[in-house]
Amino acid sequence: MHHFEYRDNEMFCEDVPILKIAKEVGTPFYIYSHATLTRHFSAFDGAFNEVPHLVCFSAKANSNLAVLNLFATLGGGLDIVSGGELYRGLKAGVLPEKIVYSGVGKRIDEIEYALKSNILMFNIESFQELETVNRCAERLNTRARIALRVNPDVDPKTHPYISTGMKKNKFGINREVAISTYKAAQKLSNIDIVGIDCHVGSQLTETAPFVDALRKVKGLITDLEKLGIHIQYLDLGGGLGITYDEEVPPHPDDYARAIVQELGEIPFTLILEPGRVIVGNAGVLVTKCLYAKKSDKKNFVIVDAAMNDLARPSLYDAYHAIQPVIQRKRPPFVADVVGPICESGDFFARDRKLPKCEPGDLVALMSAGAYGFAMSSNYNSRPRIPEVMVKGDRFHVVRERETYETLIQGESLPSFL
Ligand code: LLP
């Protein structure tokens, strides 16, 4: 389905045996399938063909240059939240006129960088930010195109850490004050109002919250028209979920149909900021079993990847399927799959039924293409792991494994020591 399939009991990514990559790059490592990335992007983009639209891939989900470059060549834009993501996007060949900049805490240097790069628009999250962007634009003798991120106050029914569009969240501007903020924006010297933006949350498995949010935003657009404020871009954010376990999220076609139907006749361009739905199931994390150990109560499979490489299980109690790279006829057993980090929270699965693992066996943590490498760290002084892209029968290391030297790069001893 996602180009990670068994042939004669051996897992391949497209036409490359995963074992072959492991032999060459060592473990652990991430692999991304070029065919899956392409198919997911094109399916999502194509689903909105009926309306003028721009798919701005959410860089935070996976910001590898090769991944960003691929989407840029497919005509995609980028949703960024930092100067670093802008830098990556531009390096990867994303056109600045297709970049939208979200986030509650944009710094002045980041705003100036985005203005100088002439990005499409800033999704503004507070009145103070609006004033800051205006001042920066004034100083640079340019104009800033903006949308206000409106908090739609709908419940996405997802994990509380990744729900963003409710009043109790820190994101966006409440609907009640949106109109007055737009009016204030109209008066600012170097601001051009071009859009309206919202984002409901992440890993949504129903279309209803998106449609609810859209309905609320449409109401606001009508009110803005009366004030002579014309919206050119409606940014609906990201958030469409994927199957990790047994979730049944809507297909992009159904998601698009629900949105396009609610949208009606529109004189503006729709912007979407999908992340997970494009890259999540296009990537896996391959890790090696180091030890299998038994305590009084449990079996433990200790692997060479850890929570610093894939934080989602420890952070959100997220489920990632675990599959052997080589299928052997071994009886299943129930075990915790854990990493080498010195924390009990360092686990990938608890009480999971798996085929019995032995030292040296490789397993793949599935659906790891989104918020996997992107959220990895050097905790426990572990060099970050490589990322590999596979296309057909070829593969390329798109990010090298870090070394001990890279670990201490930039550190120095003060003279007073
Ligand atoms: N746009 C905005 C403004 C966002 O805040 C996000 C994600 C996206 C787009 C992309 O959402 P997606 O299509 O990927 O759901 N680390 C968490 C997910 C955090 C999502 C944050 N915002 C995880 O691993 O589940």
Side-chain angles (χ1 to χ4, degrees):
M1 236 171 78
H2 295 297
H3 298 282
F4 294 97
E5 276 162 349
Y6 290 102
R7 296 185 190 169
D8 290 333
N9 295 321
E10 173 168 7
M11 195 189 282
F12 277 59
C13 175
E14 302 193 21
D15 296 325
V16 181
I18 287 180
L19 211 53
K20 183 174 171 197
I21 304 175
K23 279 187 185 138
E24 206 158 308
V25 306
T27 56
F29 59 94
Y30 278 97
I31 324 178
Y32 310 127
S33 154
H34 180 279
T36 311
L37 293 168
T38 307
R39 182 164 58 85
H40 286 180
F41 185 91
S42 306
F44 192 95
D45 191 30
F48 287 94
N49 265 346
E50 257 178 63
V51 292
H53 70 279
L54 177 63
V55 177
C56 292
F57 172 68
S58 195
K60 64 175 82 63
N62 187 322
S63 55
N64 184 280
L65 285 188
V67 172
L68 300 187
N69 174 264
L70 171 60
F71 299 148
T73 59
L74 295 172
L78 202 63
D79 159 46
I80 59 161
V81 291
S82 68
E85 286 187 352
L86 175 55
Y87 181 77
R88 282 182 173 278
L90 295 174
K91 282 273 175 209
V94 182
L95 299 175
E97 63 264 30
K98 292 185 177 179
I99 296 180
V100 295
Y101 187 177
S102 314
V104 290
K106 304 177 186 77
R107 284 196 318 256
I108 286 178
D109 61 298
E110 294 176 308
I111 295 168
E112 289 186 348
Y113 179 25
L115 283 170
K116 285 182 191 154
S117 307
N118 205 14
I119 64 162
L120 176 59
M121 68 180 188
F122 292 84
N123 289 335
I124 301 282
E125 305 224 13
S126 67
F127 184 65
Q128 286 180 0
E129 184 195 334
L130 183 62
E131 286 183 308
T132 305
V133 170
N134 184 53
R135 273 198 303 274
C136 291
E138 213 172 359
R139 208 163 36 241
L140 294 177
N141 201 15
T142 184
R143 301 188 64 77
R145 284 176 292 274
I146 65 109
L148 292 192
R149 175 166 174 181
V150 179
N151 186 332
D153 197 25
V154 299
D155 184 354
K157 301 191 180 67
T158 181
H159 191 288
Y161 281 16
I162 52 180
S163 82
T164 41
M166 290 170 81
K167 266 195 179 163
K168 62 181 180 193
N169 301 127
K170 68 179 173 181
F171 301 97
I173 295 169
N174 287 345
R175 275 195 303 152
E176 297 77 44
V177 293
I179 295 288
S180 58
T181 314
Y182 268 108
K183 278 189 190 161
Q186 257 183 323
K187 296 200 186 88
L188 293 174
S189 57
N190 292 56
I191 293 288
D192 289 331
I193 301 171
V194 295
I196 190 161
D197 167 49
C198 72
H199 172 76
V200 185
S202 200
Q203 183 53 14
L204 271 71
T205 51
E206 293 169 35
T207 51
F210 295 111
V211 175
D212 285 354
L214 175 56
R215 195 171 300 129
K216 292 182 177 181
V217 170
K218 267 177 60 183
L220 278 173
I221 293 179
T222 312
D223 295 345
L224 291 173
E225 286 289 333
K226 291 180 195 140
L227 295 171
I229 298 174
H230 305 295
I231 294 301
Q232 297 169 45
Y233 299 98
L234 192 171
D235 184 342
L236 257 189
L240 186 57
I242 62 169
T243 303
Y244 284 100
D245 186 10
E246 287 175 340
E247 305 91 333
V248 190
H251 186 277
D253 283 343
D254 301 324
Y255 164 79
R257 200 172 304 120
I259 289 170
V260 170
Q261 199 175 354
E262 178 62 36
L263 217 47
E265 289 290 309
I266 52 157
F268 41 74
T269 299
L270 184 65
I271 294 179
L272 289 317
E273 302 173 353
R276 188 188 322 261
V277 67
I278 311 279
V279 291
N281 276 318
V284 307
L285 167 53
V286 179
T287 179
K288 186 167 71 185
C289 170
L290 297 174
Y291 305 104
K293 118 174 176 180
K294 212 171 152 53
S295 75
D296 288 350
K297 297 218 161 60
K298 272 181 186 266
N299 294 309
F300 291 99
V301 174
I302 302 162
V303 295
D304 63 357
M307 64 190 278
N308 72 300
D309 302 308
L310 177 66
R312 304 192 68 259
S314 48
L315 208 51
Y316 315 119
D317 211 9
Y319 178 94
H320 286 267
I322 301 179
Q323 293 186 9
V325 168
I326 306 288
Q327 285 179 315
R328 297 190 173 87
K329 288 202 176 55
R330 293 211 193 113
F333 77 147
V334 173
D336 282 15
V337 179
V338 302
I341 282 185
C342 305
E343 297 211 24
S344 305
D346 181 23
F347 66 90
F348 293 123
R350 283 180 162 155
D351 299 319
R352 184 76 62 87
K353 195 169 166 191
L354 306 157
K356 209 157 186 180
C357 276
E358 292 188 354
D361 288 352
L362 299 188
V363 292
L365 302 172
M366 308 305 288
S367 316
Y371 307 106
F373 185 89
M375 289 173 73
S376 66
S377 77
N378 289 122
Y379 187 40
N380 274 209
S381 284
R382 292 167 52 86
R384 279 183 300 168
I385 66 179
E387 296 172 283
V388 176
M389 187 181 277
V390 171
K391 182 180 184 202
D393 59 3
R394 289 180 291 168
F395 70 92
H396 183 84
V397 178
V398 292
R399 190 181 208 276
E400 284 177 7
R401 188 182 302 284
E402 289 180 350
T403 62
Y404 293 149
E405 288 77 50
T406 29
L407 272 184
I408 57 166
Q409 204 169 41
E411 293 184 34
S412 63
L413 301 178
S415 58
F416 50 76
L417 270 188

